[in-house]
Amino acid sequence: MGARRWLDAAVISGLLQALLFHLATSQSFIGVNYGTIADNLPPPASTANLLKSTSIGKVRLYEPQPDLVAALAGSNISILLGVPNGDVPNLASSPAAASAWAAANIPTTVPVSAISVGNELLNSGDPTLAPQLLPAMQNLLAALPAGSTTKISTVHSMAVLSSSDPPSSGAFHADLAGSLDPVLDFLKQNGAPFMINPYPYFAYASDTRPETLAFCLFQPNPGRVDAGSGLTYTNMFDAQLDAIRAALDAKGYSGVDIVIAETGWPYKGDADEGGATVDNARAYNGNLVAHLKSQVGTPRTPGKSVDTYLFALYDEDLKGGPESERSFGLYRTDLTANYDIGLAAAPGTAAPATVTPNTPQPSRGMTPTGYCVTAAGVPGTTQGQQVPQTSSCYIPAGAVSRRADAAVRRLVWLGVLLCLVTLVRK
């Protein structure tokens, strides 16, 4: 009897450990963008130490940064490595050129989760780049070492969408099909993600009503029902993500995952940029991090989180444009936080971000329209260009009951296993 009880306890303990391992490893990683349009950045070793002191698991580099990569060796922080738009023609020119680039720039001392060939290239304003994108991706894939798990992709702006109003109507611009469809085929064939840069901030900038701000910041709001799907939305991020998902599904790429390569909120802006405040930046980024860690997913894909790279680690003081363009940094260049969103690695070293419950509230006064059109420069490009973002965007809201199902199931199973362990020990 004692041996059986020991065996039962061992089996249950093993199941419990497996569940806990699943819970730990299935949580999507929070990444951050490392932009370099600045003349005051800290030394790479200091930046590496800062990253190691956080729960950030991935860093996006817009171009090779060998000194920072060397400083990150042994940290378990992975890299999303960027190929600058200006290097794409060279990679497309021949397999040998791609092999030379790979040998010179792909790190071997840190894991490289993916390589982005270009940034927002299809909306860069340079029509000569689009036909060279796929050959560059193909050549770089062939240049990877045998057995490599690194994925080859490219990053898009939301301007590739012709519609996201409502999310279920998400669709890509038809005039991009010649360049985009072959890239989507490549992603599907090679198990690579579709990478894109959504910015709810720009939606608010074009519609500054208080209810719009609440939608963008994951705060209580009346709720928005997508008439096409019947789904209800509570935040702009989920609606933009589901519009992208709908566009992919409509073209037959339901198996292609999505990675959010950039998203963020400025903490400072010009006089006419009322939404760019510390409080709003803290609310958006902090609530987004908590939303991702909860793994509730979106209304269209409940229980499935998405890898997301916050923009950005530091301000970039040499960027042009409005003040907001130079004010997206989570940290100052003296390594102190501009505001806290709960990214500290050790428990108790930073206050967790406060998430306002996403319970739909009764509408008061004017009913929000639920939609907006963005028209703003997109931050992040290392070419120093302001890329127009003109696609329509859906202002979300609504209930979250379906989305909590996966998390509830995991908690129930955890409780069951704990009870079984307790009974066995009696």
Side-chain angles (χ1 to χ4, degrees):
M1 181 63 71
R4 180 179 177 181
R5 178 171 291 181
W6 179 88
L7 179 60
D8 290 344
V11 170
I12 293 171
S13 178
L15 289 172
L16 179 60
Q17 291 180 39
L19 177 64
L20 293 174
F21 176 78
H22 167 74
L23 291 174
T25 58
S26 62
Q27 185 177 86
S28 70
F29 286 99
I30 304 298
V32 70
N33 286 264
Y34 178 74
T36 58
I37 308 178
D39 60 4
N40 60 349
L41 297 178
S46 298
T47 293
N49 288 334
L50 172 62
L51 291 168
K52 292 173 188 177
S53 72
T54 73
S55 57
I56 293 170
K58 297 185 178 184
V59 177
R60 180 187 176 198
L61 306 178
Y62 292 90
E63 63 278 311
Q65 300 284 345
D67 291 340
L68 178 58
V69 167
L72 289 172
S75 66
N76 292 322
I77 294 174
S78 68
I79 300 298
L80 167 54
L81 179 62
V83 175
N85 289 359
D87 288 356
V88 170
N90 180 48
L91 268 63
S93 66
S94 71
S99 294
W101 191 96
N105 296 302
I106 298 179
T108 58
T109 57
V110 298
V112 180
S113 61
I115 299 175
S116 167
V117 180
N119 181 49
E120 302 183 347
L121 184 148
L122 295 183
N123 300 106
S124 67
D126 184 348
T128 68
L129 291 177
Q132 301 184 77
L133 177 57
L134 181 62
M137 296 173 70
Q138 292 170 328
N139 287 343
L140 192 55
L141 178 64
L144 295 178
S148 173
T149 59
T150 299
K151 301 300 182 181
I152 304 297
S153 186
T154 186
V155 174
H156 304 280
S157 80
M158 286 291 285
V160 298
L161 293 182
S162 62
S163 173
S164 56
D165 169 9
S168 61
S169 71
F172 295 112
H173 276 288
D175 58 359
L176 292 178
S179 301
L180 183 59
D181 286 1
V183 169
L184 294 176
D185 283 335
F186 175 92
L187 299 180
K188 180 179 180 180
Q189 293 166 8
N190 294 287
F194 180 85
M195 298 183 174
I196 194 162
N197 300 335
Y199 278 90
Y201 166 73
F202 292 121
Y204 174 68
S206 66
D207 178 6
T208 57
R209 292 173 298 167
E211 53 267 34
T212 305
L213 184 62
F215 298 150
C216 292
L217 299 182
F218 300 84
Q219 292 174 342
N221 56 77
R224 293 294 173 274
V225 177
D226 182 331
S229 66
L231 298 174
T232 306
Y233 287 83
T234 61
N235 66 80
M236 166 73 87
F237 180 84
D238 282 353
Q240 289 185 328
L241 184 54
D242 276 359
I244 301 160
R245 181 76 271 161
L248 288 169
D249 291 353
K251 279 188 167 287
Y253 299 104
S254 59
V256 175
D257 286 335
I258 298 170
V259 166
I260 304 303
E262 286 180 25
T263 191
W265 197 284
Y267 64 88
K268 184 170 59 174
D270 292 330
D272 60 349
E273 296 181 295
T277 69
V278 171
D279 286 344
N280 288 346
R282 181 191 295 112
Y284 177 74
N285 286 312
N287 289 342
L288 172 61
V289 167
H291 180 64
L292 294 169
K293 287 184 176 180
S294 74
Q295 294 189 289
V296 296
T298 71
R300 190 181 180 100
T301 56
K304 183 176 181 180
S305 195
V306 59
D307 282 358
T308 299
Y309 292 80
L310 302 176
F311 188 85
L313 186 60
Y314 301 122
D315 292 338
E316 295 176 88
D317 66 325
L318 297 184
K319 279 191 169 182
E323 180 66 26
S324 61
E325 288 292 317
R326 296 176 292 281
S327 306
F328 276 84
L330 298 173
Y331 294 90
R332 304 181 186 94
T333 53
D334 65 1
L335 307 180
T336 60
N338 274 315
Y339 49 86
D340 176 38
I341 58 172
L343 289 177
T349 58
T354 301
V355 183
T356 306
N358 284 324
T359 305
Q361 303 294 315
S363 178
R364 296 182 180 88
M366 180 178 63
T367 301
T369 61
Y371 306 100
C372 72
V373 177
T374 62
V378 177
T381 172
T382 56
Q383 284 72 40
Q385 302 169 346
Q386 295 300 310
V387 182
Q389 182 174 352
T390 57
S391 59
S392 61
C393 61
Y394 178 72
I395 302 294
V400 297
S401 57
R402 287 183 58 213
R403 300 156 56 197
D405 289 347
V408 170
R409 285 195 297 271
R410 288 194 291 268
L411 289 174
V412 169
W413 275 110
L414 179 59
V416 169
L417 288 173
L418 287 173
C419 289
L420 288 173
V421 170
T422 301
L423 289 172
V424 168
R425 288 177 176 174
K426 290 182 177 180

